[in-house]
Amino acid sequence: KARILVGKDPRRSSYTLEYSLVSGITASGGDAYLMHVTTTPSVSYVVSREEFDAAVMISASHNAFCDNGLKIMNSFGEKADDEFIAKVESYLDEEFEIPLSVGDKIGKVEDYFVGRNRYMSFLMSVPSNSFKGYKVALDTANGSTYMIAKTVFSSLGAKVYAINDCPDGININASCGATDVKKLVKQVKDFSCDFGFAFDGDGDRIFGEAFGRGKAVFFQRKLQNVHSGNIKLIAKGYDFIGQHAEVFGDYFDVADFF
């Protein structure tokens, strides 16, 4: 049986899409493993390191809560190739049918919180130094990173000042996060944080700010297309960012499909 990993962001429609997607997977004879609310990088990480055939992240990334979509990944944690996406689209256009399973051939559904926990453990294992004594501002965009980012930085010893970390299904990316960083800038300055990070809705984009010598320094990067190695963000001479931003671990080429 195919083993399919499924994650989602916290927007309201993600839950409905998850139910429909899992119903289709199991009706077709596959097994679905649910990571629940998690980040796109975490799904890429887990599917590439454990025995899964593919993964789907339910998210509209940096877009408003009323949008949604599917990010389909292969077993290497990379976006599915064009040929596979074309087959999915052909199926949706009813150009062919997939026979439904019956009896004991129907797939199963399993909670897979352990995958998200393993991803966080990996992130916390990467830095060679403690973050104790550092103050970190986080804007999690009321999205998928609301728990992971705070847990990782706190566990590494940092004092965390988080904002936009209470998702309600409709406030994701709402004037916050990586697409609107004014609140992060204010948070860093108000609390004299050493640095800050703003994420988008599914955690595959990051905006950072380092604060020092009375001047804010900005850097921005979309997390993509490097299957081996870690994020290394350098902020114009602020060595601390270059040394420690790798806490976010591997990142992958994952495209948005709507």
Side-chain angles (χ1 to χ4, degrees):
K1 286 185 176 182
R3 290 164 47 90
I4 312 299
L5 189 66
V6 179
K8 65 176 182 286
D9 71 22
R11 70 191 74 212
R12 285 185 180 178
S13 59
S14 293
Y15 292 82
T16 303
L17 287 175
E18 181 185 58
Y19 299 148
S20 299
L21 177 65
V22 169
S23 294
I25 291 171
T26 55
S28 302
D31 293 337
Y33 294 80
L34 308 185
M35 286 182 67
H36 301 282
V37 174
T38 192
T39 63
T40 294
S42 72
V43 175
S44 292
Y45 175 84
V46 173
V47 73
S48 67
R49 284 161 173 77
E50 302 187 24
E51 295 181 356
F52 292 103
D53 298 289
V56 181
M57 177 66 184
I58 303 166
S59 177
S61 192
H62 57 283
N63 294 288
F65 87 95
C66 52
D67 298 321
N68 218 332
L70 305 177
K71 299 183 178 187
I72 304 174
M73 307 172 207
N74 61 23
S75 60
F76 298 105
E78 301 166 336
K79 70 174 182 179
D81 60 36
D82 293 341
E83 182 181 358
F84 182 83
I85 296 301
K87 283 185 177 181
V88 173
E89 292 175 346
S90 294
Y91 174 74
L92 294 176
D93 290 337
E94 299 182 345
E95 295 178 8
F96 68 95
E97 293 184 359
I98 297 175
L100 298 180
S101 299
V102 296
D104 61 0
K105 302 299 183 183
I106 296 173
K108 64 180 180 179
V109 182
E110 289 193 12
D111 286 322
Y112 208 69
F113 289 108
V114 66
R116 188 177 62 198
N117 294 337
R118 286 173 182 164
Y119 176 68
M120 288 192 289
S121 295
F122 163 71
L123 295 182
M124 290 183 279
S125 74
V126 173
S128 57
N129 299 304
S130 170
F131 282 17
K132 187 175 181 180
Y134 288 95
K135 294 190 288 185
V136 182
L138 299 176
D139 183 343
T140 62
N142 295 308
S144 293
T145 60
Y146 82 98
M147 181 188 68
I148 291 177
K150 290 190 295 183
T151 300
V152 169
F153 277 109
S154 295
S155 297
L156 290 168
K159 175 67 174 177
V160 174
Y161 297 85
I163 55 174
N164 301 308
D165 56 340
C166 297
D168 63 8
I170 62 175
N171 60 359
I172 187 171
N173 299 316
S175 300
C176 62
T179 58
D180 190 342
V181 300
K182 293 187 292 294
K183 293 176 182 176
L184 174 69
V185 173
K186 185 177 186 300
Q187 189 81 342
V188 169
K189 292 181 177 180
D190 286 351
F191 293 95
S192 298
C193 293
D194 296 286
F195 60 96
F197 293 104
F199 303 87
D200 73 339
D202 67 329
D204 71 348
R205 286 174 176 83
I206 185 173
F207 177 98
E209 178 186 351
F211 191 79
R213 300 176 187 174
K215 181 179 179 182
V217 179
F218 303 100
F219 51 89
Q220 187 170 19
R221 182 134 186 201
K222 177 172 167 47
L223 314 185
Q224 63 177 2
N225 205 32
V226 180
H227 190 268
S228 60
N230 298 315
I231 302 169
K232 296 188 183 299
L233 302 174
I234 309 300
K236 296 181 181 177
Y238 286 93
D239 252 1
F240 183 80
I241 298 298
Q243 294 167 2
H244 295 286
E246 62 185 16
V247 67
F248 290 96
D250 290 351
Y251 56 105
F252 308 92
D253 180 12
V254 180
D256 297 357
F257 295 96
F258 301 107

